[in-house]
Amino acid sequence: EEGRSVGRDGCQADETLTLGEHVLRIESILPLCRKGVDFYGPTVLVDILVFLYLVVFYPTTVSSTVQDLAESVTQNQLPVGYVSMLFSVMLLVIIDRIIYLHACKPAKVIYHYFNLLGMCLWVQLVIWTDNPASHTSCSILCLLKSVSLALNARQIRCGYPERTRQHFLTQSTDLVSRGMFILYRSL
């Protein structure tokens, strides 16, 4: 057929569309993302920021005071909600790492929707409180978690890189990298 050819990515190129009096000529179609782009590093960084934000600002998100948390720490009794929230965030980071190492897109989709549902339910519970400070703190937390979810969605869309098991600490074999890797493995 005249005017049609298939590009490198399987998309049709050089296609002519006629819309009334206007003629639109498509020279090429670029995919939305390159195949196998690695979004794991930024995703883990944002998830760790979420964890640190919860460590510091958890009392304001659940409308309690910092003094209450400090008093319970001095009595060696942490609130169950505080510990379970930190545990669940770290568990999500570990699950994300396992899915990343296995490069399993269906598991990543399930993880993504589970993460989204959990965040929405938690936000709904926080919004039911009447403390305006908790709304501000919850908004910041939602912003951080939304960035994490957006990076997860891009990872699902673009797929996983072919070499996911290579760690940045093991790319070179000098003494500093070896020491950093031993420190990393000991943690």
Side-chain angles (χ1 to χ4, degrees):
E1 295 173 28
E2 192 173 314
R4 288 187 177 201
S5 65
V6 178
R8 290 188 313 245
D9 55 358
C11 298
Q12 293 181 356
D14 298 328
E15 188 171 330
T16 305
L17 299 174
T18 307
L19 301 172
E21 300 173 2
H22 305 288
V23 175
L24 178 65
R25 183 167 174 87
I26 300 174
E27 296 295 326
S28 66
I29 299 173
L30 297 175
L32 292 174
C33 65
R34 294 176 292 161
K35 292 288 182 186
V37 178
D38 191 7
F39 290 102
Y40 181 72
T43 303
V44 135
L45 178 68
V46 172
D47 284 341
I48 289 174
L49 287 174
V50 167
F51 180 81
L52 293 175
Y53 184 81
L54 283 172
V55 165
V56 175
F57 295 108
Y58 178 80
T60 59
T61 59
V62 293
S63 67
S64 70
T65 62
V66 177
Q67 289 81 16
D68 293 339
L69 184 63
E71 184 177 313
S72 60
V73 167
T74 58
Q75 296 174 356
N76 290 333
Q77 296 176 345
L78 291 174
V80 173
Y82 182 66
V83 173
S84 64
M85 182 61 69
L86 294 178
F87 178 76
S88 63
V89 169
M90 281 315 286
L91 184 65
L92 286 174
V93 170
I94 292 169
I95 290 171
D96 190 26
R97 178 65 180 174
I98 292 169
I99 292 170
Y100 176 77
L101 286 177
H102 290 285
C104 184
K105 277 178 122 177
K108 184 72 167 187
V109 170
I110 293 169
Y111 167 81
H112 182 77
Y113 282 117
F114 176 76
N115 208 349
L116 179 65
L117 178 68
M119 186 183 83
C120 290
L121 289 175
W122 185 79
V123 167
Q124 188 65 30
L125 289 173
V126 169
I127 286 179
W128 281 341
T129 65
D130 292 331
N131 187 0
S134 68
H135 295 285
T136 305
S137 181
C138 184
S139 297
I140 294 170
L141 182 63
C142 283
L143 177 69
L144 287 171
K145 201 62 181 161
S146 296
V147 170
S148 173
L149 288 171
L151 289 169
N152 277 330
R154 292 293 291 174
Q155 187 73 65
I156 292 168
R157 172 176 246 165
C158 296
Y160 291 98
E162 291 182 19
R163 300 180 76 195
T164 60
R165 296 177 194 265
Q166 186 175 10
H167 196 276
F168 73 95
L169 291 176
T170 60
Q171 288 177 354
S172 65
T173 57
D174 60 350
L175 187 60
V176 174
S177 293
R178 178 165 169 72
M180 288 176 57
F181 182 71
I182 290 172
L183 178 67
Y184 167 76
R185 293 293 290 195
S186 67
L187 295 176

